[in-house]
Amino acid sequence: MKVPDNSNLVIFGASGDLTFRKLVPALYHLFQTKQLPDCFFVLGVGRSEFSDEAFRERLAVYLRDEYALSDQDLSGFLPHLHYLALDTQNAQAYASLKHRLDVLYEHYNTPHNTLFYLATPPSLFPIIPRCLAAHGLHEEHSGWKRLIVEKPIGYDLKSAIALDDALHEVFREEQIYRIDHYLGKETVQNLLVFRFANGMFEPLWSRNYIDYVEITGAENIGVEERGGYYDGAGALRDMFQNHLLQVLAMVAMEPSAAINADATRDEAAKVLQSLQPIQKDDLQERVVLGQYTASVVRGESLDAYRDELHVKPDSRTETYLALKLFINNWRWQDVPFYVRTGKRMPTRVTEVVIHFKSSPHPVFRENAPHNRLIIRIQPDEGILMVFGLKKPGAGFEAEEVSMDFHYQDLGETKLLTAYERLLMDAMNGDATLFARSDAVKACWKFVEPILDYKAQQPAVYGYASGTWGPREADELLKRDGREWRFPCKNLANTDYCEL
Ligand code: BG6
């Protein structure tokens, strides 16, 4: 990837989880692989009081523990990290940020190209830009200024619009980079290359040949320590509204005229705007909500969701969601998309399954093959194609066989993590893999009736931890004569779900 021009990163929420777990490890790796500019600094901003040295030491402890790094490994990287304690809600206090930035720009002799990263609680998202603007820190006369916003981008359509308005008061849309880390995943991007770099798949990619599409985003972990946030969000807001709808957009969008921020995001937005709203009367049939219950999984006793830390004991929040949706356009009319996501499922797996229609004149009725293309996003990233061949021996019988490609077969190629890729893109000014305002609003618009439905306290079905969700989710497909694909080659080894 192109090494960005000299530029700097200001992280708001620098003592938080995201900074430690994702941002700093990503920056360290980019630094080690010489992908960061020659002159760059990171200024962490947070409420707690730390000196630069104390901040570096805290991060060093984390990196040493998590990544088995030595002091020597870290010695070149750590001096680029700085810290400023600031009351981020107080506009006046930003004078000290301005001053500190001026000192650092001069010390590093860098242009004032600066990426402001909002890794804070969402309540601060509208406030920080205003405070930056109060001191002209958003102005671009001596270098570009960009704003990265983490999820959640709003809580519903209304709050997403309000947040957008607040951001746009200060930053132009081209300066705003809304992170959806699924778009940073190599295999999600591969959906575009696979579809549009090959002449052989695209002609089949429509209602003419595709029967239905499945998208699964399963996790084996529970809500861990995030019960406080998750209980107010649920799977619909946490995974579906953003990550899975973005994946769906990549699967379903029209080929874009070019791969760049405008052209690609125009097409992604169009498909999200074409999602058919689920009618009130259909919600009960088309949306299945579930919540994990206590269970013993491989000898380990796992708590019920309601017993997790910071979760209300009578919570009705869904940790599992399955739904059936349609896209109202020529390409996809009447093709169902079944999407499911859940926590505490048997394994971690994200994949898209394209089910093709069967042959129009099935002369091999017995064992007629069911053509499928499985695009595995994680783990064992790859692609599997299932088709029929003649069963060896006498007679003419078909049998299903498969062809598969695994990214790991590419040997030495080291995939960038999502955050590495997205940080680089933002520094390079490439917004192709960031969610645009219109697309985010389209996602909320589709989700809105489901939020209203949830507010009426519909049934939330229990499923034992370590299972594939409630029975009612199987019924959703069974009613249409279908079933969810069983994603693992070998479920005895649930730690790693092979393609
Ligand atoms: C986050 C959600 O955005 O994505 C988490 O808040 C979820 O609840 C995570 O676990 C899943 O991401 P990944 O990359 O592990 O699939």
Side-chain angles (χ1 to χ4, degrees):
M1 282 187 78
K2 175 176 175 287
V3 174
D5 294 339
N6 290 342
S7 44
N8 314 296
L9 178 63
V10 176
I11 304 176
F12 289 93
S15 44
D17 200 44
L18 182 74
T19 305
F20 276 67
R21 283 194 311 113
K22 300 286 185 191
L23 302 183
V24 171
L27 288 165
Y28 171 74
H29 183 251
L30 291 172
F31 176 81
Q32 276 310 95
T33 50
K34 304 203 176 344
Q35 297 185 76
L36 288 180
D38 290 340
C39 296
F40 87 96
F41 63 82
V42 176
L43 176 61
V45 176
R47 237 179 322 165
S48 326
E49 291 284 345
F50 294 115
S51 61
D52 282 1
E53 287 68 32
F55 180 57
R56 287 173 194 154
E57 184 48 29
R58 282 191 73 211
L59 287 167
V61 169
Y62 178 82
L63 292 170
R64 281 194 297 254
D65 284 1
E66 288 293 311
Y67 298 93
L69 296 173
S70 66
D71 287 345
Q72 202 189 343
D73 294 329
L74 293 169
S75 61
F77 174 66
L78 291 177
H80 290 268
L81 308 181
H82 302 266
Y83 186 83
L84 175 72
L86 185 75
D87 172 2
T88 37
Q89 310 212 38
N90 174 1
Q92 280 176 3
Y94 282 61
S96 67
L97 174 60
K98 184 171 177 356
H99 173 70
R100 189 66 189 278
L101 280 174
D102 286 338
V103 171
L104 288 168
Y105 290 142
E106 196 172 321
H107 176 75
Y108 282 86
N109 192 20
T110 68
H112 296 193
N113 297 333
T114 306
L115 200 53
F116 296 105
Y117 198 121
L118 304 188
T120 61
S123 57
L124 292 173
F125 293 174
I127 297 173
I128 293 172
R130 278 182 206 139
C131 296
L132 290 171
H135 295 270
L137 288 166
H138 66 308
E139 283 165 7
E140 295 200 286
H141 37 72
S142 49
W144 52 253
K145 300 291 180 306
R146 297 180 189 137
L147 184 74
I148 298 195
V149 192
E150 265 291 333
K151 67 168 258 223
I153 313 283
Y155 190 70
D156 52 18
L157 180 60
K158 195 166 151 225
S159 58
I161 293 173
L163 172 60
D164 234 37
D165 291 347
L167 301 180
H168 286 148
E169 271 174 31
V170 177
F171 290 97
R172 301 185 311 283
E173 177 61 23
E174 309 82 80
Q175 293 174 281
I176 303 173
Y177 291 69
R178 295 174 194 80
I179 285 236
D180 186 309
H181 79 280
Y182 267 56
L183 291 178
K185 289 184 192 281
E186 184 76 17
T187 33
V188 173
Q189 294 152 34
N190 186 47
L191 278 164
L192 295 186
V193 179
F194 180 74
R195 286 188 56 199
F196 304 140
N198 297 301
M200 62 201 242
F201 300 112
E202 203 44 29
L204 306 180
W205 213 263
S206 73
R207 66 193 307 272
N208 297 329
Y209 297 99
I210 293 179
D211 188 21
Y212 67 103
V213 177
E214 265 180 84
I215 301 180
T216 292
E219 295 184 88
N220 51 354
I221 55 169
V223 290
E224 320 275 277
E225 287 87 41
R226 299 165 70 228
Y229 145 77
Y230 194 90
D231 212 31
L236 181 66
R237 289 187 173 97
D238 185 54
M239 286 290 291
F240 177 80
Q241 179 275 337
N242 37 53
H243 306 324
L244 296 183
L245 281 182
Q246 293 293 344
V247 170
L248 178 136
M250 295 278 192
V251 173
M253 67 190 240
E254 295 300 309
S256 61
I259 299 294
N260 62 38
D262 285 340
T264 311
R265 298 192 303 169
D266 281 349
E267 297 307 336
K270 269 190 233 164
V271 78
L272 294 167
Q273 285 158 351
S274 309
L275 293 172
Q276 185 187 91
I278 305 183
Q279 297 303 315
K280 241 187 187 158
D281 292 346
D282 296 334
L283 282 159
Q284 194 179 350
E285 196 180 298
R286 299 243 305 260
V287 177
V288 178
L289 306 171
Q291 190 186 83
Y292 61 79
T293 58
S295 183
V296 177
V297 180
R298 281 173 289 157
E300 192 190 347
S301 291
L302 298 174
D303 278 345
Y305 173 70
R306 289 179 177 188
D307 294 329
E308 300 274 21
L309 197 66
H310 306 309
V311 170
K312 289 199 269 340
D314 58 350
S315 170
R316 301 179 60 84
T317 297
E318 77 289 357
T319 59
Y320 176 95
L321 166 78
L323 58 79
K324 172 176 162 184
L325 63 84
F326 292 93
I327 299 172
N328 275 343
N329 64 18
W330 270 55
R331 187 186 282 268
W332 295 112
Q333 202 62 38
D334 298 330
V335 177
F337 283 70
Y338 301 94
V339 185
R340 63 175 166 169
T341 179
K343 295 218 182 267
R344 281 266 188 261
M345 307 200 70
T347 189
R348 173 177 187 249
V349 59
T350 306
E351 66 178 24
V352 176
V353 188
I354 311 288
H355 294 261
F356 290 92
K357 291 184 173 169
S358 47
S359 98
H361 178 52
V363 285
F364 301 104
R365 275 176 215 286
E366 293 288 314
N367 302 325
H370 170 182
N371 295 149
R372 311 184 287 287
L373 194 63
I374 295 109
I375 302 167
R376 177 57 79 81
I377 289 166
Q378 59 190 20
D380 194 8
E381 291 81 355
I383 292 187
L384 181 82
M385 187 157 78
V386 182
F387 52 97
L389 276 185
K390 181 182 173 298
K391 201 170 182 171
F396 276 99
E397 244 188 90
E399 106 179 308
E400 274 187 358
V401 293
S402 61
M403 278 188 343
D404 51 350
F405 159 75
H406 305 258
Y407 261 84
Q408 66 202 15
D409 295 344
L410 293 180
E412 288 302 290
T413 316
K414 158 94 179 65
L415 306 184
L416 286 183
T417 65
Y419 277 92
E420 289 165 20
R421 170 69 200 253
L422 295 173
L423 280 168
M424 289 287 281
D425 280 0
M427 285 192 240
N428 278 319
D430 182 352
T432 310
L433 299 175
F434 292 83
R436 203 170 61 186
S437 164
D438 49 356
V440 172
K441 286 182 199 156
C443 293
W444 279 120
K445 201 164 168 200
F446 175 74
V447 161
E448 200 73 350
I450 313 173
L451 290 173
D452 293 345
Y453 174 62
K454 270 182 37 168
Q456 295 160 21
Q457 307 215 326
V460 179
Y461 303 102
Y463 62 97
S465 292
T467 65
W468 287 103
R471 219 170 353 113
E472 287 72 11
D474 296 335
E475 295 297 323
L476 179 74
L477 271 75
K478 224 183 246 170
R479 279 199 293 275
D480 298 339
R482 298 168 176 142
E483 58 185 35
W484 296 104
R485 176 181 121 89
F486 181 74
C488 302
K489 211 171 184 174
N490 170 14
L491 198 59
N493 176 12
T494 42
D495 286 342
Y496 188 75
C497 180
E498 282 175 290
L499 177 60

